[in-house]
Amino acid sequence: MTIEASFLDLMPSSVTIYPQTARNEYGVQTWSGSGTSVRCRIMLTGSVSHDQNGRQVIEDGRIIFYGTPTVDLNSKIVLPDGSTPVILTVNVHNDELGANHTTVSFGRA
């Protein structure tokens, strides 16, 4: 999918996504040593929300990715400031042509 230049102007930031490679018997995760940098728009929210399991969480922000990068609840994201927040939800949004963009909310559980 090619990003239209006018739409790309709305994506001023980049986030690096690392897929989970393993989880040990104690629940400790490890991630791939190489991540994928993806253009996006980051919006800080600072609101109370619910994760995909229905738990109340503090949502610090949302990331809108153009297209559908490989990201799920077990991925690690690194924001431009170097922080690695918890991924709370991942939603793929469709239009008449299929998958259009992905929204990830992040914060603290």
Side-chain angles (χ1 to χ4, degrees):
M1 176 183 303
T2 303
I3 300 176
E4 298 173 27
S6 59
F7 195 77
L8 192 59
D9 290 341
L10 300 173
M11 306 287 176
S13 301
S14 290
V15 169
T16 305
I17 302 170
Y18 295 88
Q20 177 182 287
T21 56
R23 183 183 297 262
N24 71 16
E25 64 270 14
Y26 302 106
V28 177
Q29 295 173 284
T30 56
W31 295 274
S32 172
S34 60
T36 303
S37 181
V38 183
R39 289 281 299 260
C40 63
R41 179 170 198 81
I42 300 171
M43 301 174 301
L44 301 178
T45 58
S47 63
V48 177
S49 184
H50 292 86
D51 68 9
Q52 291 182 327
N53 295 319
R55 294 178 301 174
Q56 189 173 7
V57 294
I58 303 298
E59 180 183 289
D60 292 328
R62 292 185 184 176
I63 304 168
I64 301 174
F65 295 105
Y66 183 77
T68 55
T70 303
V71 60
D72 61 31
L73 296 175
N74 295 313
S75 299
K76 177 172 80 170
I77 55 173
V78 179
L79 300 177
D81 66 1
S83 64
T84 57
V86 174
I87 296 174
L88 302 174
T89 62
V90 177
N91 295 296
V92 176
H93 304 276
N94 298 308
D95 64 10
E96 64 278 356
L97 300 175
N100 179 271
H101 66 282
T102 301
T103 304
V104 171
S105 65
F106 62 90
R108 296 166 273 157

